[in-house]
């Protein structure tokens, strides 16, 4: 009992000592934040005031101070000092982006970022003190020598043509891809254990990931973090297109957040609303990033993202308006106390003068960023400031549309897929990729992972764009092994401008063993989405007449980082029917087939072992009886 | 003789050429009855495509041809139709074999006609009947719809049949060297012809007047000699494939595939549905039982038919085509080509009418029930399975009927045709 109390007090000390952060740590954190913002162009927006000048970085200054908790420091001053050094190296940011979509739906994207300046792979030491970083994941990372881990659970399908590109794309069902450290010798063994552990952590059926649905893409999935590992032997990629995502996956995901669902943006994550939506996707991305500009040491970044699309248009009788309360049935009252930054961004790009919709409450802070090749403007609500919440001490964003929204720019890259053919013997997979750019051609990497029970015939592969043969410049094909590994097909295809490219490949459906079918075999089998990865020329670069705010000298040659952006597009998963045996009669089949074999065996046995003889009919009964008596008497027998 | 044979060839070539050019060719090449995973032309093309992509064709589970086959087609893929058109004519050699066999028989007929009981003369074939046998065999093979389908689908089964036919031809011609080499080639192609070693050996022993006696050194001398030719050429061929490919990948992919039956695509055999419905823990046991079943009949049949190696060859080929793991109609056509050679057995066949009806009905029902199951969705797998059962049952009945007739004829040849009971009435023969 005493030990238990001692442990508890240690935890308290750990937490509170870090909250009462010394100024030196403060400076360090700020430095980290700067580097973090410089690293990624797309998701850390540049802060500007309404008049265009860059806002001072005073948003991070307000630190949450613990005032009302007394800490008994008398028993552990020494320990607490050492912890302070370790603990202060964590930081946590939370963010919510709300984008009204042109279809009338609302896209809400949560991002929670935990940064931990420690490298347990390199230091090779046992890290046992965790502060903000979830211990369950940290232990997994160090045990399985994971370099990078990306996992997503998605319910519904992202409609690119109606909604544009998502911030973080994900295929329907579950997707898991992991880069292992190159010191790992038994990658497959680690992968198997890792999927089972993650299955437990996220309450998902990831344990169904085995060699039959794992592939090693050679080009499509490059590490997103530090280190340019190119040896795809350490990469494993798997999808479970049939995975149903529900509350039981959300709860463990929320538990990984430092504030749980108690404070900050995460109070909005109520499952009864989140799953009453057109699209729901939650993901965990872990990768190593730089600690500072020189990149002398590594830090671990955990990014938890949750994307929801609410169909508020149909549910509110055609009125186009939404509010935080309507979407999440909660309002915000505070930021997460552990967060260094906590913000809400509302996309108001289409509404610079407020003629399209009206946003309540108004905020003076605006932010501009180039997101997915498009310059967007956002209203920023900083939850760490008290004035954001107003007098009611609660923030309920309200947006009311005044008129019809304009047309959405069609996404430059779009892909879809379907199965052609009839009957249960053969079929054809059609993947259609659209390049909507008016004058630029660009290459895309298409990756297809097809289960072994659809036998692909690679010689039937055709790629046509504009009704002309379009030979892929790179093909990586790994044929399937029955019951061991799936097909993997990767191609680099050049998409001509403003074109539709169709990739077709024929397959044959296999008859499986009766035990290999899913419980409802006539529903069909899912084939995971194909992945189209591309560097798409940006809209900003496309629009050379964009000279309103920019000086002329800056816009002649497209700026490097804005000229193209990376996009990953997932197609629909396929549902393919396979021929089924009759599941009710294994005994009958075994009996009947064995009977036919036995008929063969019996007739041959008969002919082989017997010889022909003249059939002498046996004597009638009375004669046989008489013979019996005669034999006893010793008299000659009757014929 | 030459004129009708030429006419037959012309007719056969015309039929095939017309079908090759018609739209039916594609339909036929997709039929599961005609092509199996082992010999589908589509898979050969796939293997060549994989080779062009720089991927080993054996790294996947689509290609199961032997390396020699892939290199053969690597150079002749453009002339594939010609290859397949030509291959059935090797089977014509079968007819030549019968010609030679008949010459042999004719002498025997003259020599032995007085040795057999007088009433058995009608059991022996007159030279006139024998004259037409080669033509009949050629007709039975070349105009058999099964062969035509198999040829139009470009199933490599036709090539395997040609190799086996050449082997039989060389054996009957008495060339032990060529026979051994061709037998090794046939074995290399599809394992099962291994069982033809025994009849070939028995034929050579008979031909050289060496009695089958385990204590005689001449017997062992020849057996070892023939076995050496066979095993030696098998090793050479396998080694050659290794050097062509640079790896042993083809062993599990070709022979492992034949033995362990991982592909359960429906065909006309007994394996697919049986192993689709098999309980997992009995699978290995039943695979062993079913595969041993194919090879097992060699020993008792060789003992029983050691005086009649040619009939033994027929029996072995028939058993292989019934009980092999991926049979197609091409295999059935091969042993059916022998049937006219046993025309003298017709009078002893018990249920030839029933069997022919069953086989004809099944051949018609295969596509119908396949359509109902796979395309219309109004039937299920049991329908197709029932037809495969019946088809195999019919084949078994056919083969055992011929076996019965052959044994009975032999009995009559020694005991006279019209047997009498002790009391002088007409006797009936029974197996006891």
């Amino acid at each position: 009992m005493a030990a238990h109390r001692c442990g508890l007090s240690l935890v308290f000390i750990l937490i509170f000592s870090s909250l009462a952060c010394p100024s030196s740590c403060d400076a360090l954190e700020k430095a980290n934040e700067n580097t973090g913002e410089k690293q990624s162009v797309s998701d850390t927006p540049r802060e500007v005031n309404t008049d265009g000048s860059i806002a001072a970085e005073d948003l991070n200054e307000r630190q949450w101070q613990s005032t009302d908790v007394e800490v008994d420091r008398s028993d552990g001053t020494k320990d607490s000092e050492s912890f302070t050094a370790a603990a202060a190296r964590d930081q946590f940011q939370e963010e919510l982006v709300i984008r009204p979509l042109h279809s009338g739906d609302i896209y809400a994207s949560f991002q929670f970022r935990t940064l931990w300046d420690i490298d347990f792979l390199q230091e090779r030491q046992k890290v046992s003190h965790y502060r903000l970083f979830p211990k369950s994941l940290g232990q997994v990372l160090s045990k399985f020598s994971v370099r990078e881990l990306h996992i997503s659970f998605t319910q519904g399908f992202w409609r690119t043509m109606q909604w544009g590109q998502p911030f973080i794309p994900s295929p329907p069902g579950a997707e898991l891809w992991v880069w292992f450290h190159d010191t790992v010798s038994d990658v497959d063994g680690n992968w198997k254990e890792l999927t089972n552990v993650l299955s437990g952590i996220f309450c998902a059926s990831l344990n169904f990931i085995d060699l039959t649905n794992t592939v090693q893409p050679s080009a499509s999935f490059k590490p997103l973090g530090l280190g340019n590992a190119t040896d795809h032997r350490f990469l494993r990629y798997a999808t479970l297109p049939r995975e149903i995502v529900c509350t039981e996956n959300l709860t463990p995901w929320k538990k990984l957040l430092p504030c749980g669902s108690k404070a900050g943006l995460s109070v909005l994550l109520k499952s009864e609303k989140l799953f009453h939506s057109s699209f729901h996707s939650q993901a965990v991305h872990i990768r190593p990033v730089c600690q500072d500009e020189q990149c002398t040491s590594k830090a671990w970044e955990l990014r938890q993202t949750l994307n929801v699309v609410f169909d508020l248009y149909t549910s509110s009788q055609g009125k186009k308006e939404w509010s935080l309360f309507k979407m999440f049935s909660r309002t915000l009252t505070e930021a997460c106390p552990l967060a260094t930054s906590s913000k809400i961004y509302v996309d108001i790009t289409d509404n610079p003068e407020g003629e399209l919709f009206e946003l309540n409450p108004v905020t003076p802070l605006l932010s501009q960023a180039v997101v997915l090749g498009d310059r967007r403007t956002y209203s920023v609500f900083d939850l760490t400031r008290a004035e954001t919440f107003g007098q009611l001490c609660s923030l309920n964003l309200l947006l009311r549309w005044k008129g019809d929204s304009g047309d959405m720019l069609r996404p430059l890259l779009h892909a879809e897929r379907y199965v052609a053919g009839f009957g249960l013997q053969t079929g054809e997979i059609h993947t259609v990729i659209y390049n909507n750019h008016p004058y630029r051609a660009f290459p895309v990497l298409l990756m297809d992972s097809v289960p072994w029970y659809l036998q692909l015939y690679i010689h039937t592969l055709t790629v046509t764009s504009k009704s002309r043969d379009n030979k892929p410049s790179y093909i990586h094909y790994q044929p399937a092994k029955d019951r061991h590994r799936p097909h993997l097909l990767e191609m680099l295809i050049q998409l001509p401008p403003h074109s539709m490219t169709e990739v077709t490949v024929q397959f044959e459906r296999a008859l499986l063993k009766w035990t290999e079918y899913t419980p409802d075999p006539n529903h069909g089998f899912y084939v995971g989405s194909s992945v189209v990865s591309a560097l798409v020329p940006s809209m900003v670069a496309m629009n050379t007449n964009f000279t309103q705010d920019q000086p002329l000298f800056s816009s002649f040659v497209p700026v490097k980082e804005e000229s193209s952006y990376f996009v990953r597009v997932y197609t629909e998963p396929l549902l393919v029917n396979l021929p089924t045996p009759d599941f009710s009669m294994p005994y009958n089949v075994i009996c009947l087939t064995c009977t036919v074999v036995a008929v063969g065996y019996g007739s041959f046995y008969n002919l082989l072992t017997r010889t022909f003889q003249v059939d002498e009919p046996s004597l009638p009964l009375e004669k046989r009886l008489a013979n019996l008596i005669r034999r006893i008497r010793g008299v000659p027998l009757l014929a | 003789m030459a004129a009708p044979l030429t006419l037959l060839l012309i007719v056969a070539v015309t039929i095939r050429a017309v079908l090759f050019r018609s739209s039916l060719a594609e339909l036929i090449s997709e039929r599961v009855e005609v092509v199996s995973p082992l010999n589908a032309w589509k898979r050969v093309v796939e293997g060549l495509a994989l080779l062009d992509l720089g991927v080993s064709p054996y790294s996947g589970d689509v290609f199961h041809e032997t390396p020699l086959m892939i290199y053969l087609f690597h150079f002749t893929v453009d002339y594939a139709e010609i290859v397949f058109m030509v291959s059935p004519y090797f089977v014509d050699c079968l007819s030549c074999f019968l010609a030679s066999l008949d010459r042999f028989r004719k002498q025997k007929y003259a020599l032995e006609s007085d040795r057999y009981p007088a009433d058995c003369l009608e059991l022996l074939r007159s030279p006139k009947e024998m004259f037409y046998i080669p033509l009949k065999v050629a007709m039975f093979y070349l105009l058999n719809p099964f062969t035509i389908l198999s040829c139009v689908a470009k199933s490599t089964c036709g090539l395997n049949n040609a190799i086996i036919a050449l082997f039989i031809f060389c054996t009957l011609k008495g060339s032990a060297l060529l026979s051994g080499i061709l037998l090794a080639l046939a074995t290399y192609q599809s394992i099962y012809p291994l069982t033809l070693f025994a009849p070939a050996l028995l034929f050579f022993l008979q031909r050289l007047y060496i009695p089958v006696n385990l204590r005689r050194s001449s017997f062992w001398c020849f057996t070892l000699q023939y076995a050496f030719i066979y095993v030696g050429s098998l090793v050479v061929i396998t080694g050659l494939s290794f050097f062509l490919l640079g790896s042993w990948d083809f062993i599990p992919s070709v022979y492992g595939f034949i033995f362990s039956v991982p592909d359960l695509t429906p065909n006309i055999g007994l394996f697919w549905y049986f192993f689709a419905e098999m309980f997992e823990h009995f699978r290995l046991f039943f695979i062993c039982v079913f595969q041993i079943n194919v090879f097992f009949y060699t020993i008792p049949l060789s003992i029983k038919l050691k005086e009649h190696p040619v009939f033994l060859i027929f029996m072995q080929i028939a058993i292989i085509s019934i009980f092999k793991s991926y049979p197609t109609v091409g295999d059935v056509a091969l042993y059916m080509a022998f049937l006219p050679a046993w025309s003298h057995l017709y009078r002893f066949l018990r249920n030839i009418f029933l069997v022919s009806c069953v086989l004809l009905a099944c051949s018609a029902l295969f596509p119908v029930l396949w359509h109902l199951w796979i395309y219309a969705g109004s039937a299920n797998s049991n329908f197709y399975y029932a037809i495969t059962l019946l088809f195999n049952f019919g084949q078994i009945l056919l083969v055992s009927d011929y076996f019965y007739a052959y044994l009975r004829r032999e009995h009559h040849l020694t005991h006279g045709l019209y047997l009498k009971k002790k009391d002088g009435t007409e006797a009936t023969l029974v197996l006891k």
Side-chain angles (χ1 to χ4, degrees), chain B residues 92-153:
Chain B
D92 265 6
C93 303
L94 267 180
S95 52
C96 304
F97 113 67
L98 286 161
S100 66
L101 183 75
D102 290 344
R103 232 172 288 128
F104 185 56
R105 279 270 169 101
K106 259 180 256 173
Q107 296 157 0
K108 229 173 149 184
Y109 180 80
L111 277 172
E112 300 181 349
S113 54
D114 46 322
R115 217 181 73 188
Y116 291 129
D119 55 353
C120 290
L121 276 181
E122 57 185 288
L123 290 180
L124 302 176
R125 279 179 292 193
S126 68
K128 189 165 177 277
E129 278 174 344
M130 291 164 122
F131 181 74
Y132 285 110
I133 285 179
L135 188 65
K136 281 189 194 164
V137 168
M139 202 162 78
F140 242 68
Y141 189 76
L142 291 179
L143 297 185
N144 189 339
F146 288 165
T147 325
I148 296 175
L149 289 177
S150 179
C151 174
V152 172

Side-chain angles (χ1 to χ4, degrees), chain A residues 422-426 455-460 475 477-483 485 487 506-515 579-594 596-597 599-601 603-604 606-617, chain B residues 30 32 42-43 45-46 49-50 53 55 58-62 262-264 270 272-280 283 286 290 293 296-297 300-301 304 315 319 370 373-375 380-382 385 389 393 396 399-400 403-404 407-408 411 419 421-422 427-432:
Chain A
F422 62 98
L424 297 177
Q425 192 180 2
T426 54
Q455 282 171 335
L456 289 189
Y457 287 99
I458 195 69
H459 72 269
T460 60
I475 293 186
Y477 179 63
Q478 191 184 35
K481 269 270 186 227
D482 284 0
R483 298 173 181 89
R485 67 161 194 240
H487 300 272
Q506 287 177 15
F507 64 87
E508 202 163 276
R509 300 162 211 242
L511 182 77
L512 310 183
K513 299 172 188 168
W514 70 305
T515 46
T580 51
D582 186 341
F583 295 98
S584 60
M585 47 181 284
Y587 284 105
N588 302 5
V589 169
I590 293 169
C591 290
L592 289 170
T593 309
C594 285
V596 169
V597 174
V599 164
Y601 178 80
S603 53
F604 288 132
N606 219 359
L607 291 163
L608 285 167
T609 53
R610 298 184 185 192
T611 53
F612 283 101
Q613 280 173 18
V614 175
D615 185 27
E616 295 287 344
Chain B
E30 298 268 318
V32 284
K42 200 175 177 185
R43 294 179 185 246
V45 178
E46 175 73 7
L50 287 178
L53 275 178
V55 182
Y58 299 103
S59 64
D61 249 344
V62 169
D263 192 318
L264 302 172
L270 291 168
W272 65 276
Y273 206 51
F274 187 70
F275 287 106
E277 295 268 4
M278 179 50 65
F279 298 103
E280 205 54 47
R283 179 174 303 272
F286 273 106
F290 270 51
N293 185 42
F296 171 73
Y297 294 111
L301 280 175
K304 186 86 176 179
M315 287 295 290
I319 286 172
W370 179 259
W373 172 28
I374 297 295
Y375 293 100
N380 67 9
S381 47
N382 294 341
Y385 165 65
L389 272 191
F393 180 72
I396 288 169
V399 174
S400 59
F403 190 24
Y404 170 84
L407 292 179
R408 180 147 179 198
H411 185 265
L419 298 173
K421 267 191 266 185
K422 279 176 202 160
T428 47
L429 266 186
V430 288
L431 278 172
K432 269 185 183 165

Side-chain angles (χ1 to χ4, degrees), chain B residues 315-330:
Chain B
M315 287 295 290
Q316 292 290 0
I317 292 179
I319 286 172
I320 289 172
S321 80
I322 297 170
F323 293 118
K324 76 190 286 195
S325 44
Y326 303 98
T328 59
V329 290

Side-chain angles (χ1 to χ4, degrees), chain A residues 140-159:
Chain A
V140 167
L141 291 186
S142 59
K143 175 153 198 297
F144 299 109
S145 308
V146 173
R147 179 197 283 276
E148 214 170 277
L149 185 147
H150 303 269
I151 184 169
S152 75
F153 299 97
T154 307
Q155 184 74 33
F157 178 67
W158 182 269
R159 294 165 205 288

Side-chain angles (χ1 to χ4, degrees), chain A residues 121-307:
Chain A
L121 288 183
Q122 219 142 59
E123 290 173 22
R124 284 270 158 235
Q125 63 185 18
K126 224 171 160 57
V127 180
S128 49
H129 302 300
Y130 289 83
R131 187 177 157 252
L132 297 179
F133 201 89
K135 186 171 180 180
S136 56
L137 286 183
Q139 285 177 332
V140 167
L141 291 186
S142 59
K143 175 153 198 297
F144 299 109
S145 308
V146 173
R147 179 197 283 276
E148 214 170 277
L149 185 147
H150 303 269
I151 184 169
S152 75
F153 299 97
T154 307
Q155 184 74 33
F157 178 67
W158 182 269
R159 294 165 205 288
T160 315
M161 284 310 275
Q162 291 174 31
W163 299 342
Q165 300 286 358
F167 295 125
I168 294 178
S170 59
E175 182 198 43
L176 175 64
W177 58 285
V178 175
W179 275 95
F180 288 96
H181 216 263
D182 47 16
T183 52
V184 178
S185 53
D186 178 19
V187 182
D188 282 323
N190 267 21
W191 168 248
K192 180 144 191 57
E193 272 187 66
L194 176 68
T195 53
N196 280 288
V197 169
L198 289 176
S199 169
I201 292 178
F202 291 102
C203 290
S205 337
L206 296 176
N207 52 323
F208 285 109
I209 291 177
D210 52 15
L211 291 179
T212 62
N213 49 18
T214 303
V215 290
Q216 302 171 37
S218 65
S220 292
F221 288 88
K222 289 291 164 207
L224 297 179
L226 278 179
N228 42 2
T230 46
D231 191 353
H232 62 270
R233 278 181 301 144
F234 299 101
L235 169 65
R236 290 294 180 279
Y237 174 86
T239 53
L240 295 173
R242 210 186 182 176
E243 180 77 8
I244 310 284
V245 184
C246 204
T247 319
E248 78 265 20
N249 306 112
L250 182 67
T251 313
W253 184 89
K254 279 197 290 193
K255 273 188 188 162
L256 302 176
L257 295 171
C259 288
S261 50
K262 303 286 188 297
L265 289 174
S266 50
V267 295
L268 300 177
L269 304 174
K270 291 292 169 194
S271 53
E272 74 268 18
K273 280 292 184 185
L274 286 184
F275 290 103
H276 189 71
S277 56
S278 311
F279 175 84
H280 170 96
S281 167
Q282 61 189 63
V284 170
H285 302 275
I286 302 174
R287 59 178 182 179
V289 292
C290 282
Q291 264 187 27
D292 44 36
E293 272 180 89
Q294 278 78 43
C295 211
T296 46
S297 54
K298 275 198 273 184
W300 283 91
E301 183 201 66
L302 163 70
R303 232 177 238 261
Q304 287 179 259
T305 66
L306 193 144
N307 296 302

Side-chain angles (χ1 to χ4, degrees), chain B residues 254-273:
Chain B
V254 178
Y255 306 118
F257 185 78
I258 292 173
F259 277 125
S260 64
V261 204
D263 192 318
L264 302 172
T265 312
N267 55 37
I268 59 169
L270 291 168
F271 278 69
W272 65 276
Y273 206 51

